Amino acid sequence: VELVWRERVPLGLNILTNDDSGYLKVIDLPRGTQARKVAQSKQLDPELFKGSTIVSVNGRRYGPESQVELFGALKDPARPKAILFRLASQEDLEKMESMVGKAGGRGTSSAKQRDQERAAAKNESEGANLVTAVDILERGDIGLKFTNHDNFALSVSDFLRDSSEQPLPAEKTGKIALGDLLSHINGTLVLGPKGTGKQKALALFEEVGPNQRPLSLGFVKPY
């Protein structure tokens, strides 16, 4: 089933990025999102898309080995955007719901979803680039705390302060927001399924250490 987004607003898809199949799966089309409106405009029940697999974007098909590229294609603000979905069987849907439940419902919070959509809308309306580049020039702790985002990327979970409770270099740039996904370190892509992105990011941070500056970081907004 193909849906086409024509308005320059966030897609509104709630996506599972760590499915065992290696594909990006749709958790749901939350209420009030553009995804739900697009489905309903075709007289389709949004619930049909639960557990579906994203097969292609604008005619280009993506396999398990190219999910990082698919992630980028979904985040590209260009419109129209035609997305082809392969609907899930009942067995696949139950498996995905079980996985999401075991993960504590990560990504299913409506409040979190609304925050992410507002951030993405702001990003697109200002005509921002897909990746926000941040250069850290000061040596020492950059001042970011990360958490694992669906075993696909590191997500900014907090800003750390120095002993005097003053902001550290990352926060002082004013370019990073809570929830942003770390996409690049010194030009190297650190997104990837099944923990490969996280492992690459941690290895690069260890290699760079606290003294190798400038440090170039890239961030993208979550869905």
Side-chain angles (χ1 to χ4, degrees), residues 122-181:
K122 182 175 183 292
N123 185 45
E124 291 185 3
S125 66
E126 292 176 352
N129 291 327
L130 182 62
V131 177
T132 298
V134 176
D135 291 325
I136 306 295
L137 304 179
E138 299 177 42
R139 294 183 178 183
D141 195 339
I142 63 175
L144 290 176
K145 182 178 180 180
F146 293 99
T147 188
N148 189 20
H149 181 85
D150 281 345
N151 216 22
F152 187 80
L154 290 180
S155 171
V156 178
S157 60
D158 202 1
F159 293 107
L160 305 178
R161 297 294 181 95
D162 64 17
S163 58
S164 302
E165 289 300 312
Q166 295 301 307
L168 289 168
E171 184 178 4
K172 287 194 291 186
T173 67
K175 295 181 177 181
I176 306 169
L178 296 181
D180 283 356
L181 305 183

Side-chain angles (χ1 to χ4, degrees), residues 49-107:
F49 292 87
K50 284 187 175 181
S52 63
T53 300
I54 298 177
V55 176
S56 72
V57 176
N58 289 341
R60 179 182 173 184
R61 289 182 172 265
Y62 296 86
E65 73 288 346
S66 56
Q67 294 301 286
V68 173
E69 288 82 358
L70 172 56
F71 182 82
L74 291 171
K75 290 190 65 59
D76 187 339
R79 299 291 186 269
K81 188 182 301 295
I83 302 177
L84 181 65
F85 301 86
R86 183 171 65 243
L87 300 184
S89 65
Q90 186 61 35
E91 180 182 352
D92 288 341
L93 177 57
E94 290 173 357
K95 180 180 177 182
M96 185 203 70
E97 289 177 339
S98 174
M99 179 180 292
V100 172
K102 288 178 181 178
R106 280 197 309 266

Side-chain angles (χ1 to χ4, degrees), residues 180-200:
D180 283 356
L181 305 183
L182 178 67
S183 62
H184 295 79
I185 298 176
N186 287 339
T188 299
L189 184 69
V190 290
L191 299 172
K194 299 183 178 180
T196 56
K198 172 187 173 182
Q199 292 168 8
K200 187 180 295 184

